[in-house]
């Protein structure tokens, strides 16, 4: 069986894996073709929440599911099929959820995935606001009057290239669920380092979202406020992210893991009256048990 590039991240910014015919249970850089791999990460972590009055998201128990077939793969909440590939490149069709909804619903499935294909300490929220927000402007927004933010299903293409220890991944995605009808472009560059059993990956990338997408999640409609001047329409924009991942296998079942990411929100998002921070920080430290 030739080696295959596995569609790697359930956010944009994680490490990549190779599909193979025979893998040790704790081998994080190898996915065995035709078999399901189930593991659970146990540890301590947090994803900060930039939305007004909403609490930060704890990361404690995080299940992980992987399957790599000859042409079809599953990675946590991502489903895809390989359209074309060679030893260094891969083109996939992909269906994946949008993740902005996690900041509005604590029990969203995306809050239980720490290394999703584009996902990602800060002040406590509630009475604290970003410098560009006045207390009066924040009080003008009644969160209970805002429209419900639903999770969208995004579909499109994923193109990946690997060269030595460098890995590039790009996505073009469109809302096929008609929740907001927006589009999203993602691009990430990863450099991997190995030293003995230690494996480290450093990633930098960007996420462009169309105005339809950002306005659905971070905009305020005229009918949701008392005065028309308090409404807000979010424009399209580019968010930037950096991320670091570290893994160390202890045995065939347990792997130590730590990762941290920082996402600088696009201007159209951070200027929204319901957004009280200009960034999102995610940190997780723990162990992964492989069944």
């Amino acid at each position: 069986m030739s080696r295959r590039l596995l569609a790697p991240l359930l956010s944009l910014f994680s490490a990549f894996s190779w599909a193979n015919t025979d893998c040790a249970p704790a081998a994080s850089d190898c996915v065995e073709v035709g078999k399901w791999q189930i593991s659970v990460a146990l540890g301590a972590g947090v994803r900060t929440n930039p939305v007004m009055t909403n609490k930060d998201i704890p990361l404690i128990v995080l299940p992980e599911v992987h399957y790599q077939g000859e042409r079809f793969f599953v990675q946590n909440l991502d489903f895809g099929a390989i359209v074309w590939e060679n030893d260094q490149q891969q083109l996939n069709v992909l269906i994946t959820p949008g993740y902005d909804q996690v900041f509005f619903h604590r029990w969203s499935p995306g809050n239980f995935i720490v290394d999703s294909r584009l996902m990602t300490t800060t002040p406590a929220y509630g009475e604290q606001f970003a410098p560009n927000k006045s207390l009066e402007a924040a009080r003008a927004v009644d969160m209970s009057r805002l429209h419900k933010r639903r999770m969208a299903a995004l579909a499109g293409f994923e193109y990946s290239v690997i060269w030595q220890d460098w890995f590039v991944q790009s996505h073009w995605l469109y809302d096929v669920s008609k929740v907001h009808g927006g589009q999203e472009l993602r691009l990430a560059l990863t450099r991997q380092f190995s030293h003995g059993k230690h494996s480290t990956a450093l990633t930098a990338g960007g996420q462009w979202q169309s105005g339809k997408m950002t306005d659905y999640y971070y905009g305020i409609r005229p009918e949701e406020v008392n005065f028309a001047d308090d409404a807000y329409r979010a424009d399209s924009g580019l968010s930037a992210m950096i991320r670091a991942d570290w893994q160390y296998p202890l045995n065939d079942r347990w792997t130590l893991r730590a990762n941290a990411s920082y996402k600088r929100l696009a201007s159209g998002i951070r200027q929204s009256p319901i957004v009280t921070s200009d960034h999102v920080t995610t940190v997780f430290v723990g162990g992964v048990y492989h069944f």
Side-chain angles (χ1 to χ4, degrees):
M1 179 70 62
S2 62
R3 295 194 304 173
R4 301 178 184 275
L5 276 170
L6 174 69
L9 323 162
L10 197 155
S11 95
L12 237 169
F13 311 103
S14 186
F16 59 87
S17 304
W18 287 100
N20 210 325
T21 56
D22 188 19
C23 300
S28 61
D29 60 345
C30 182
V31 176
E32 191 170 354
V33 172
K35 290 189 177 181
W36 289 90
Q37 293 189 3
I38 300 175
S39 58
V40 59
L42 305 171
V46 65
R47 177 180 290 127
T48 62
N49 195 327
V51 175
M52 181 179 69
T53 73
N54 290 353
K55 295 181 180 180
D56 292 345
I57 303 161
L59 303 172
I60 299 173
V61 180
L62 306 168
E64 301 175 8
V65 178
H66 302 269
Y67 173 81
Q68 176 70 42
E70 289 292 333
R71 310 302 298 180
F72 175 76
F73 61 85
V74 177
Q75 186 164 0
N76 294 327
L77 301 180
D78 290 349
F79 302 85
I82 301 171
V83 176
W84 171 84
E85 65 176 335
N86 59 26
D87 287 342
Q88 292 184 307
Q89 302 175 76
Q90 184 168 295
L91 177 65
N92 304 321
V93 291
L94 183 70
I95 298 177
T96 182
Y99 284 95
D100 292 83
Q101 189 251 9
V102 303
F103 300 121
F104 299 90
H105 300 279
R106 172 65 188 93
W107 298 106
S108 169
N111 287 329
F112 298 91
I113 305 295
V114 71
D115 62 343
S116 64
R117 240 172 174 73
L118 190 41
M119 282 274 104
T120 66
T121 325
T122 58
Y125 303 115
E127 294 303 319
Q128 298 187 28
F129 299 92
N132 63 330
K133 310 291 192 306
S134 68
L135 186 60
E136 291 76 15
R139 284 176 174 167
V141 180
D142 181 355
M143 295 290 287
S144 65
R145 294 179 58 182
L146 301 186
H147 63 279
K148 184 178 180 180
R149 274 72 172 171
R150 296 165 49 206
M151 177 176 284
L154 308 179
F157 295 96
E158 174 184 64
Y159 175 68
S160 306
V161 180
I162 185 172
W163 182 74
Q164 296 182 356
D165 293 323
W166 293 90
F167 178 69
V168 179
Q169 185 177 53
S170 60
H171 291 164
W172 172 80
L173 300 168
Y174 177 75
D175 173 24
V176 294
S177 59
K178 305 301 180 182
V179 169
H180 48 66
Q183 300 182 59
E184 188 170 308
L185 301 176
R186 307 171 181 174
L187 179 66
L189 173 66
T190 298
R191 174 70 161 89
Q192 283 208 325
F193 304 87
S194 297
H195 180 72
K197 291 185 177 181
H198 297 270
S199 177
T200 304
L202 302 177
T203 302
Q207 175 189 19
W208 178 87
Q209 294 172 301
S210 69
K212 288 184 178 180
M213 183 178 295
T214 57
D215 188 59
Y216 176 80
Y217 290 107
Y218 304 102
I220 301 174
R221 300 169 181 173
E223 62 270 22
E224 297 172 341
V225 288
N226 293 325
F227 303 99
D229 289 345
D230 292 330
Y232 177 75
R233 183 173 182 82
D235 295 327
S236 61
L238 178 67
S239 299
M241 176 185 280
I242 55 174
R243 175 166 171 160
D245 294 87
W246 171 82
Q247 296 188 91
Y248 182 87
L250 295 176
N251 51 46
D252 288 346
R253 293 296 177 186
W254 283 98
T255 300
L256 296 179
R257 173 187 295 177
N259 53 52
S261 67
Y262 175 91
K263 182 178 182 180
R264 170 75 173 180
L265 298 174
S267 61
I269 297 175
R270 61 178 185 262
Q271 291 173 8
S272 169
I274 66 171
V275 173
T276 58
S277 179
D278 61 4
H279 65 276
V280 175
T281 302
T282 303
V283 178
F284 179 81
V285 179
V288 181
Y289 180 80
H290 308 268
F291 292 95

